[in-house]
């Protein structure tokens, strides 16, 4: 079926591996989520110049994600969550500058966030937690302008570049090794609804600019090394 563009066999009881022949087609979209598939993802999927969507979550897939995924196509959405993928996050995912959703939670991925993803200004939703990822978050990654959900592991400090994340509504960084202070620039996030950063090593006092977050409904910073007083005016935060 050499003219096949979209293959959707999601939410079934399919078993076995993903055929190499399927991934060799010039696909635009591949949806195989919520099945019982095993084995690796054929590297040939990365060769399609039309590919914009890959959804493989909730299977039993293993091995590395294709290293060239996103290198030859304007990949918009990748959801490979809830599998057993290992290896590093492919560095070329956003080579075409189009990725909006990057969802990789509950795998065994390791290494750092590729520096190239810090320049992926199209990103809107990022979920990388429950992996074996480590290292510092690239400074540019904190300030991605269109991100609304940022849930990730890692260590290091929160960068002042977070002031550029004007669309961020959910900042979920609990259970990590983040250190240093919470930057005053967090007060620029006018759309922030939840900031969960418990069980880290954050220190010093809470920034006075927190009180500017008029949409904030959840502030969870338990089990850190914070000190000092609550910011003046915190009683004005109505939500």
């Amino acid at each position: 079926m050499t003219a096949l563009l979209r293959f959707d066999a999601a939410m079934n009881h399919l078993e076995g591996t993903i055929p190499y022949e399927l991934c060799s087609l010039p696909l635009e979209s591949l949806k195989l989520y919520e099945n019982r598939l095993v084995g690796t993802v054929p590297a040939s999927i990365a060769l399609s110049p039309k590919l914009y969507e890959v959804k493989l979550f909730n299977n039993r897939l293993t091995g590395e994600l294709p290293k060239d995924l996103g290198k030859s196509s304007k990949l918009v959405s990748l959801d490979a969550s809830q599998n057993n993928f290992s290896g590093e996050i492919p560095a070329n995912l956003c080579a075409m500058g189009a990725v909006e959703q990057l969802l990789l939670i509950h795998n065994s991925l390791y290494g750092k966030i590729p520096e190239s993803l810090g320049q992926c200004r199209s990103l809107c939703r990022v979920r990388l937690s429950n992996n074996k990822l480590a290292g510092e978050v690239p400074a540019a990654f904190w300030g991605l302008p269109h991100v609304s959900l940022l849930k990730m592991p890692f260590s290091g400090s929160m960068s002042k570049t977070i002031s550029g994340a004007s669309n961020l509504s959910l900042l979920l960084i609990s259970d990590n090794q983040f250190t240093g202070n919470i930057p005053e620039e967090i007060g620029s996030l006018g759309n922030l609804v939840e900031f969960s950063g418990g069980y880290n090593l954050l220190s010093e006092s809470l920034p006075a600019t927190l009180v500017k977050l008029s949409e904030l409904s959840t502030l969870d910073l338990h089990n850190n090394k914070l000190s000092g007083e609550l910011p003046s005016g915190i009683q004005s935060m109505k939500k």
Side-chain angles (χ1 to χ4, degrees):
M1 298 188 291
T2 55
L4 189 67
L5 296 177
R6 301 174 186 174
F7 187 81
D8 185 349
M11 296 186 291
N12 283 288
H13 299 283
L14 295 173
E15 299 177 349
T17 59
I18 301 174
Y20 172 85
E21 292 80 4
L22 173 62
C23 290
S24 297
L25 296 172
L27 295 174
E28 292 179 351
S29 172
L30 178 63
K31 297 180 181 179
L32 295 172
Y33 57 88
E34 294 188 17
N35 279 290
R36 301 170 184 170
L37 298 169
V38 298
T40 60
V41 179
S44 55
I45 189 68
L47 300 178
S48 174
K50 302 178 180 179
L51 190 68
Y52 71 88
E53 180 181 45
V54 179
K55 295 191 175 182
L56 305 172
F57 60 88
N58 202 4
N59 277 287
R60 302 168 187 172
L61 297 166
T62 57
E64 297 184 4
L65 292 166
K67 292 183 178 180
D68 289 332
L69 195 60
K71 185 176 181 179
S72 303
S73 64
K74 288 189 176 181
L75 187 66
V76 173
S77 177
L78 172 62
D79 190 346
S81 300
Q82 295 171 296
N83 280 286
N84 294 304
F85 287 115
S86 57
E88 299 183 350
I89 298 173
N92 294 309
L93 279 178
C94 199
M96 297 290 185
V99 177
E100 296 178 4
Q101 298 189 49
L102 179 59
L103 310 175
L104 300 174
I105 62 171
H106 291 287
N107 280 289
S108 296
L109 299 169
Y110 55 79
K112 300 179 179 180
I113 292 180
E115 290 286 341
S116 55
L117 283 182
Q119 308 302 322
C120 189
R121 299 180 68 80
S122 57
L123 278 170
C124 296
R125 299 182 72 232
V126 181
R127 300 188 70 182
L128 303 175
S129 57
N130 294 96
N131 278 286
K132 298 178 180 179
L133 298 164
E136 293 196 18
V137 178
F141 204 80
W142 290 101
L144 293 170
H146 301 296
V147 166
S148 61
L149 169 62
L150 194 58
K151 184 174 184 178
M152 58 185 181
F154 299 107
S155 59
S157 58
M158 297 179 64
S159 174
K160 293 182 178 183
T161 59
I162 199 170
S163 61
S166 57
N167 199 46
L168 190 62
S169 60
L170 300 174
L171 178 58
L172 312 176
I173 58 170
S174 298
D175 299 291
N176 285 294
Q177 298 291 316
F178 287 108
T179 59
N181 67 320
I182 299 170
E184 292 186 0
E185 286 74 10
I186 199 168
S188 302
L189 308 183
N191 292 312
L192 194 63
V193 173
E194 178 179 350
F195 176 19
S196 291
Y199 285 101
N200 279 287
L201 300 171
L202 297 171
S203 59
E204 302 182 34
S205 58
L206 295 173
T209 54
L210 271 179
V211 300
K212 295 181 179 180
L213 302 178
S214 59
E215 299 299 316
L216 194 67
S217 62
T218 300
L219 178 62
D220 184 352
L221 296 170
H222 71 285
N223 285 82
N224 276 285
K225 296 182 177 181
L226 297 166
S227 59
E229 299 180 352
L230 293 175
S232 175
I234 198 167
Q235 69 275 10
S236 66
M237 301 175 73
K238 303 299 184 183
K239 295 189 177 183

